[in-house]
Amino acid sequence: RAQAFSAATGASPGGAGRPVALRQAAELRRQLAVEAAAEAAAISAAAVLREELVAAEADAQEEHDRHELLHPEVLEREGRALEQAQALDAHRHESVELRANVANLKEDIGKLWKEHGWARRYMGQAEARRARLQTEVQEAERGLATQQAHGRVARMTHCVAHSSDLRSQLEAHQASEAHEAERAQRASGLL
């Protein structure tokens, strides 16, 4: 055994290598103590890590449970948010269309005001023409009445003067009245 030890430690069996062997044994004991301390620290660290792992797994499970609980609500809210976004887009589109319609309406009102002005001017001119034509008709009617009166007087005078030619005068008078009536009708038709 001493030979095996001396072969392992490099010392001779006679004891001259004993201090080297002691040093090596002390070194081995020290390394063993360091490794034992390292192993104890590793075991302690592993225990801490196991506890942290258990805590992390519990947190993960709690987070998962919360996720499972909140997921339907999140989906519902996302659906409502999508509907609201679509409604907002539709309202924006309607707002753009409404602004365009208002602009078109303003343009149409401007055109209608112009047309109203033209119509008022035309109506004024038409009223002036109508008044002028009414005056002309009244003048024509007065002229006709005067001519008829003159015609009657002339016919009566002529009848008295020429009693034999009464029939031809009557026909001339009727023709004159017809002519005057036709003229009055034409003047009335201009209205």
mmCIF file of all heavy atoms in Angstrom, residues 19-45:
data_model
loop_
_atom_site.group_PDB
_atom_site.id
_atom_site.type_symbol
_atom_site.label_atom_id
_atom_site.label_comp_id
_atom_site.label_asym_id
_atom_site.label_seq_id
_atom_site.Cartn_x
_atom_site.Cartn_y
_atom_site.Cartn_z
ATOM 1 N N PRO A 19 6.173 14.587 3.413
ATOM 2 C CA PRO A 19 5.673 15.956 3.375
ATOM 3 C C PRO A 19 4.987 16.259 2.040
ATOM 4 O O PRO A 19 3.994 16.974 2.010
ATOM 5 C CB PRO A 19 6.895 16.824 3.526
ATOM 6 C CG PRO A 19 7.953 15.946 4.096
ATOM 7 C CD PRO A 19 7.581 14.556 3.742
ATOM 8 N N VAL A 20 5.459 15.711 0.957
ATOM 9 C CA VAL A 20 4.823 15.933 -0.349
ATOM 10 C C VAL A 20 3.461 15.295 -0.329
ATOM 11 O O VAL A 20 2.470 15.867 -0.799
ATOM 12 C CB VAL A 20 5.706 15.347 -1.470
ATOM 13 C CG1 VAL A 20 4.995 15.404 -2.800
ATOM 14 C CG2 VAL A 20 7.021 16.078 -1.535
ATOM 15 N N ALA A 21 3.388 14.108 0.228
ATOM 16 C CA ALA A 21 2.113 13.388 0.275
ATOM 17 C C ALA A 21 1.144 14.136 1.166
ATOM 18 O O ALA A 21 -0.055 14.197 0.866
ATOM 19 C CB ALA A 21 2.335 11.970 0.794
ATOM 20 N N LEU A 22 1.602 14.703 2.215
ATOM 21 C CA LEU A 22 0.721 15.452 3.095
ATOM 22 C C LEU A 22 0.201 16.705 2.397
ATOM 23 O O LEU A 22 -0.958 17.075 2.531
ATOM 24 C CB LEU A 22 1.469 15.836 4.381
ATOM 25 C CG LEU A 22 1.758 14.690 5.343
ATOM 26 C CD1 LEU A 22 2.576 15.202 6.519
ATOM 27 C CD2 LEU A 22 0.492 14.065 5.842
ATOM 28 N N ARG A 23 1.128 17.293 1.684
ATOM 29 C CA ARG A 23 0.702 18.492 0.946
ATOM 30 C C ARG A 23 -0.334 18.138 -0.095
ATOM 31 O O ARG A 23 -1.333 18.833 -0.267
ATOM 32 C CB ARG A 23 1.920 19.147 0.281
ATOM 33 C CG ARG A 23 2.635 20.084 1.195
ATOM 34 C CD ARG A 23 3.576 20.968 0.400
ATOM 35 N NE ARG A 23 4.453 20.168 -0.460
ATOM 36 C CZ ARG A 23 5.726 19.875 -0.213
ATOM 37 N NH1 ARG A 23 6.300 20.342 0.855
ATOM 38 N NH2 ARG A 23 6.430 19.146 -1.011
ATOM 39 N N GLN A 24 -0.081 17.054 -0.764
ATOM 40 C CA GLN A 24 -1.036 16.625 -1.799
ATOM 41 C C GLN A 24 -2.368 16.230 -1.173
ATOM 42 O O GLN A 24 -3.439 16.530 -1.693
ATOM 43 C CB GLN A 24 -0.458 15.461 -2.599
ATOM 44 C CG GLN A 24 0.642 15.906 -3.530
ATOM 45 C CD GLN A 24 1.256 14.740 -4.288
ATOM 46 O OE1 GLN A 24 1.022 13.570 -3.946
ATOM 47 N NE2 GLN A 24 2.052 15.051 -5.291
ATOM 48 N N ALA A 25 -2.307 15.598 -0.029
ATOM 49 C CA ALA A 25 -3.538 15.194 0.654
ATOM 50 C C ALA A 25 -4.290 16.435 1.112
ATOM 51 O O ALA A 25 -5.521 16.512 1.003
ATOM 52 C CB ALA A 25 -3.204 14.287 1.836
ATOM 53 N N ALA A 26 -3.547 17.402 1.650
ATOM 54 C CA ALA A 26 -4.189 18.649 2.086
ATOM 55 C C ALA A 26 -4.817 19.356 0.880
ATOM 56 O O ALA A 26 -5.919 19.896 0.962
ATOM 57 C CB ALA A 26 -3.165 19.528 2.784
ATOM 58 N N GLU A 27 -4.065 19.314 -0.236
ATOM 59 C CA GLU A 27 -4.585 19.958 -1.472
ATOM 60 C C GLU A 27 -5.843 19.248 -1.929
ATOM 61 O O GLU A 27 -6.832 19.878 -2.329
ATOM 62 C CB GLU A 27 -3.507 19.927 -2.560
ATOM 63 C CG GLU A 27 -3.924 20.578 -3.866
ATOM 64 C CD GLU A 27 -4.201 22.058 -3.734
ATOM 65 O OE1 GLU A 27 -3.671 22.735 -2.842
ATOM 66 O OE2 GLU A 27 -5.008 22.574 -4.542
ATOM 67 N N LEU A 28 -5.810 17.900 -1.883
ATOM 68 C CA LEU A 28 -6.997 17.129 -2.285
ATOM 69 C C LEU A 28 -8.164 17.413 -1.342
ATOM 70 O O LEU A 28 -9.305 17.545 -1.795
ATOM 71 C CB LEU A 28 -6.670 15.634 -2.300
ATOM 72 C CG LEU A 28 -5.794 15.167 -3.468
ATOM 73 C CD1 LEU A 28 -5.418 13.693 -3.273
ATOM 74 C CD2 LEU A 28 -6.504 15.351 -4.789
ATOM 75 N N ARG A 29 -7.852 17.506 -0.031
ATOM 76 C CA ARG A 29 -8.921 17.805 0.914
ATOM 77 C C ARG A 29 -9.496 19.195 0.650
ATOM 78 O O ARG A 29 -10.709 19.403 0.712
ATOM 79 C CB ARG A 29 -8.389 17.731 2.350
ATOM 80 C CG ARG A 29 -8.441 16.372 2.936
ATOM 81 C CD ARG A 29 -8.146 16.389 4.428
ATOM 82 N NE ARG A 29 -7.194 15.340 4.700
ATOM 83 C CZ ARG A 29 -5.917 15.478 4.913
ATOM 84 N NH1 ARG A 29 -5.369 16.655 4.977
ATOM 85 N NH2 ARG A 29 -5.153 14.451 5.098
ATOM 86 N N ARG A 30 -8.613 20.126 0.357
ATOM 87 C CA ARG A 30 -9.063 21.482 0.064
ATOM 88 C C ARG A 30 -9.925 21.496 -1.199
ATOM 89 O O ARG A 30 -10.991 22.100 -1.244
ATOM 90 C CB ARG A 30 -7.847 22.410 -0.122
ATOM 91 C CG ARG A 30 -8.225 23.876 -0.217
ATOM 92 C CD ARG A 30 -7.032 24.753 -0.544
ATOM 93 N NE ARG A 30 -6.395 24.436 -1.799
ATOM 94 C CZ ARG A 30 -6.893 24.734 -3.010
ATOM 95 N NH1 ARG A 30 -8.032 25.346 -3.119
ATOM 96 N NH2 ARG A 30 -6.237 24.421 -4.090
ATOM 97 N N GLN A 31 -9.488 20.806 -2.247
ATOM 98 C CA GLN A 31 -10.261 20.712 -3.494
ATOM 99 C C GLN A 31 -11.594 20.028 -3.239
ATOM 100 O O GLN A 31 -12.636 20.429 -3.775
ATOM 101 C CB GLN A 31 -9.474 19.952 -4.561
ATOM 102 C CG GLN A 31 -8.340 20.761 -5.145
ATOM 103 C CD GLN A 31 -7.556 19.949 -6.177
ATOM 104 O OE1 GLN A 31 -7.837 18.768 -6.412
ATOM 105 N NE2 GLN A 31 -6.565 20.584 -6.779
ATOM 106 N N LEU A 32 -11.530 18.976 -2.387
ATOM 107 C CA LEU A 32 -12.753 18.259 -2.041
ATOM 108 C C LEU A 32 -13.708 19.180 -1.296
ATOM 109 O O LEU A 32 -14.911 19.181 -1.555
ATOM 110 C CB LEU A 32 -12.407 17.030 -1.199
ATOM 111 C CG LEU A 32 -13.591 16.101 -0.881
ATOM 112 C CD1 LEU A 32 -14.214 15.549 -2.150
ATOM 113 C CD2 LEU A 32 -13.142 14.970 0.012
ATOM 114 N N ALA A 33 -13.175 20.001 -0.396
ATOM 115 C CA ALA A 33 -14.006 20.946 0.355
ATOM 116 C C ALA A 33 -14.594 21.994 -0.581
ATOM 117 O O ALA A 33 -15.771 22.358 -0.490
ATOM 118 C CB ALA A 33 -13.194 21.596 1.456
ATOM 119 N N VAL A 34 -13.758 22.481 -1.535
ATOM 120 C CA VAL A 34 -14.239 23.477 -2.514
ATOM 121 C C VAL A 34 -15.336 22.872 -3.368
ATOM 122 O O VAL A 34 -16.375 23.469 -3.608
ATOM 123 C CB VAL A 34 -13.067 23.995 -3.372
ATOM 124 C CG1 VAL A 34 -13.559 24.781 -4.555
ATOM 125 C CG2 VAL A 34 -12.132 24.847 -2.518
ATOM 126 N N GLU A 35 -15.105 21.632 -3.825
ATOM 127 C CA GLU A 35 -16.104 20.966 -4.661
ATOM 128 C C GLU A 35 -17.362 20.679 -3.853
ATOM 129 O O GLU A 35 -18.482 20.818 -4.372
ATOM 130 C CB GLU A 35 -15.538 19.690 -5.254
ATOM 131 C CG GLU A 35 -14.539 19.963 -6.363
ATOM 132 C CD GLU A 35 -13.985 18.686 -6.975
ATOM 133 O OE1 GLU A 35 -14.566 17.605 -6.754
ATOM 134 O OE2 GLU A 35 -12.987 18.799 -7.684
ATOM 135 N N ALA A 36 -17.164 20.293 -2.569
ATOM 136 C CA ALA A 36 -18.333 20.043 -1.722
ATOM 137 C C ALA A 36 -19.106 21.345 -1.514
ATOM 138 O O ALA A 36 -20.336 21.366 -1.552
ATOM 139 C CB ALA A 36 -17.901 19.443 -0.383
ATOM 140 N N ALA A 37 -18.353 22.444 -1.300
ATOM 141 C CA ALA A 37 -19.016 23.754 -1.136
ATOM 142 C C ALA A 37 -19.714 24.147 -2.429
ATOM 143 O O ALA A 37 -20.851 24.652 -2.426
ATOM 144 C CB ALA A 37 -18.010 24.809 -0.724
ATOM 145 N N ALA A 38 -19.052 23.881 -3.561
ATOM 146 C CA ALA A 38 -19.652 24.207 -4.857
ATOM 147 C C ALA A 38 -20.892 23.368 -5.089
ATOM 148 O O ALA A 38 -21.915 23.842 -5.584
ATOM 149 C CB ALA A 38 -18.638 23.997 -5.970
ATOM 150 N N GLU A 39 -20.795 22.077 -4.692
ATOM 151 C CA GLU A 39 -21.954 21.192 -4.869
ATOM 152 C C GLU A 39 -23.092 21.653 -3.969
ATOM 153 O O GLU A 39 -24.256 21.691 -4.375
ATOM 154 C CB GLU A 39 -21.560 19.757 -4.545
ATOM 155 C CG GLU A 39 -22.670 18.777 -4.800
ATOM 156 C CD GLU A 39 -22.255 17.337 -4.486
ATOM 157 O OE1 GLU A 39 -21.056 17.081 -4.250
ATOM 158 O OE2 GLU A 39 -23.145 16.486 -4.490
ATOM 159 N N ALA A 40 -22.749 22.048 -2.716
ATOM 160 C CA ALA A 40 -23.782 22.538 -1.798
ATOM 161 C C ALA A 40 -24.410 23.814 -2.350
ATOM 162 O O ALA A 40 -25.626 24.000 -2.298
ATOM 163 C CB ALA A 40 -23.194 22.769 -0.417
ATOM 164 N N ALA A 41 -23.564 24.690 -2.899
ATOM 165 C CA ALA A 41 -24.081 25.933 -3.491
ATOM 166 C C ALA A 41 -24.956 25.617 -4.694
ATOM 167 O O ALA A 41 -26.008 26.231 -4.908
ATOM 168 C CB ALA A 41 -22.925 26.844 -3.881
ATOM 169 N N ALA A 42 -24.515 24.612 -5.491
ATOM 170 C CA ALA A 42 -25.308 24.224 -6.664
ATOM 171 C C ALA A 42 -26.634 23.636 -6.241
ATOM 172 O O ALA A 42 -27.685 23.919 -6.824
ATOM 173 C CB ALA A 42 -24.525 23.238 -7.532
ATOM 174 N N ILE A 43 -26.596 22.803 -5.159
ATOM 175 C CA ILE A 43 -27.839 22.206 -4.654
ATOM 176 C C ILE A 43 -28.751 23.314 -4.133
ATOM 177 O O ILE A 43 -29.953 23.334 -4.396
ATOM 178 C CB ILE A 43 -27.526 21.150 -3.577
ATOM 179 C CG1 ILE A 43 -26.877 19.930 -4.231
ATOM 180 C CG2 ILE A 43 -28.785 20.758 -2.824
ATOM 181 C CD1 ILE A 43 -26.311 18.929 -3.231
ATOM 182 N N SER A 44 -28.162 24.267 -3.405
ATOM 183 C CA SER A 44 -28.942 25.383 -2.869
ATOM 184 C C SER A 44 -29.514 26.228 -4.008
ATOM 185 O O SER A 44 -30.680 26.617 -3.991
ATOM 186 C CB SER A 44 -28.058 26.234 -1.967
ATOM 187 O OG SER A 44 -28.757 27.365 -1.528
ATOM 188 N N ALA A 45 -28.652 26.481 -5.012
ATOM 189 C CA ALA A 45 -29.108 27.258 -6.173
ATOM 190 C C ALA A 45 -30.196 26.512 -6.924
ATOM 191 O O ALA A 45 -31.178 27.104 -7.386
ATOM 192 C CB ALA A 45 -27.935 27.569 -7.094
#
